[in-house]
Amino acid sequence: AQSVTQLDSHVPVFEEAPVELRCNYSSSVSVYLFWYVQYPNQGLQLLLKYLSGSTLVKGINGFEAEFNKSQTSFHLRKPSVHISDTAEYFCAVSLSGNMLTFGGGTRLMVKP
Amino acid sequence: SAVISQKPSRDICQRGTSLTIQCQVDSQVTMMFWYRQQPGQSLTLIATANQGSEATYESGFVIDKFPISRPNLTFSTLTVSNMSPEDSSIYLCSVDEGWPSGNTIYFGEGSWLTVV
């Protein structure tokens, strides 16, 4: 079975600073990887996904993530955050591309 | 991307009652899924809703508590039966958009249930 660990439950950062949200996964087979964002009182929105090919994946809202197979990681990064990026971010993996196993989530708090 | 609509968006329910949540997709999809997000927690898969057959439930979830229907390729319902305060959660419908974008999972806005 696969599992996902998001190493930081809360990440406070000042506006316009860079941020990295860490995600490590465990699986004995190849997986598909996803990052979702949940704004306060809203559902989940897909930020980006890695299915195959280039290990650097660019998503919406200026986010990107890099798949590192040797370190089984899929960290999410943004070079300059905005107040509007304050949200909960979830890393997820899938064996088949549809049923997702989620990490515990990271709450990004952007301060002015 | 697929547009997913859930009803109700929010509800306050009395313990012991049941509530049915509807999920409507604007295109035909093969795979539909139901997730639960308890307060302050991550998401957990409840079941996969299969068109024309019984839903497939994950460990810890049973059909008697969470009956699911999937009458066609654009619609599914999840019923939360005999509710208790522990069932207070966000229930989210998701779909695999499939070919040609492939392996992309989209979520509805969720149904926020509070059981009192």
Side-chain angles (χ1 to χ4, degrees):
Chain A
Q2 64 276 19
S3 64
V4 182
T5 302
Q6 292 183 241
L7 297 162
D8 308 294
S9 59
H10 292 82
V11 174
V13 63
F14 286 105
E15 193 173 20
E16 298 184 5
V19 71
E20 179 179 81
L21 307 183
R22 296 181 292 171
C23 172
N24 285 89
Y25 69 93
S26 172
S27 176
S28 58
V29 298
S30 296
V31 295
Y32 302 116
L33 296 152
F34 305 83
W35 275 99
Y36 289 86
V37 59
Q38 186 176 37
Y39 297 104
N41 299 314
Q42 294 189 27
L44 268 70
Q45 182 179 2
L46 179 67
L47 272 178
L48 48 80
K49 62 181 178 180
Y50 173 78
L51 303 181
S52 64
S54 173
T55 57
L56 182 63
V57 181
K58 293 189 182 298
I60 62 172
N61 302 340
F63 284 93
E64 64 179 30
E66 185 157 19
F67 169 58
N68 188 319
K69 187 175 182 179
S70 63
Q71 297 186 5
T72 60
S73 67
F74 191 55
H75 301 334
L76 182 71
R77 298 190 293 256
K78 186 170 183 178
S80 176
V81 295
H82 303 287
I83 295 287
S84 59
D85 292 322
T86 294
E88 188 89 18
Y89 292 80
F90 292 97
C91 180
V93 301
S94 172
L95 293 180
S96 58
N98 41 50
M99 289 186 289
L100 297 169
T101 299
F102 283 87
T106 297
R107 183 170 297 277
L108 176 65
M109 297 170 289
V110 181
K111 301 180 288 185
Chain B
S1 63
V3 176
I4 306 167
S5 303
Q6 282 187 236
K7 292 181 182 179
S9 57
R10 291 180 185 271
D11 208 341
I12 298 174
C13 308
Q14 297 294 321
R15 69 176 67 200
T17 64
S18 299
L19 181 79
T20 296
I21 302 167
Q22 299 179 4
C23 178
Q24 179 76 53
V25 189
D26 68 344
S27 59
Q28 292 186 340
V29 292
T30 304
M31 309 291 284
M32 295 181 76
F33 307 89
W34 288 97
Y35 287 82
R36 181 176 73 180
Q37 185 180 21
Q38 294 177 298
Q41 304 290 320
S42 186
L43 286 83
T44 302
L45 179 65
I46 297 172
T48 303
N50 305 309
Q51 196 266 333
S53 64
E54 293 285 335
T56 304
Y57 289 83
E58 297 300 304
S59 176
F61 298 96
V62 295
I63 188 171
D64 289 345
K65 176 67 175 178
F66 297 102
I68 288 171
S69 77
R70 180 83 195 275
N72 57 53
L73 292 175
T74 64
F75 187 78
S76 178
T77 67
L78 169 75
T79 299
V80 186
S81 303
N82 188 25
M83 286 186 284
S84 67
E86 292 71 34
D87 294 319
S88 297
S89 298
I90 307 170
Y91 293 86
L92 297 109
C93 171
S94 77
V95 303
D96 175 4
E97 194 170 58
W99 187 90
S101 59
N103 307 122
T104 301
I105 314 303
Y106 294 100
F107 285 82
E109 288 295 308
S111 297
W112 302 61
L113 302 188
T114 301
V115 184
V116 298

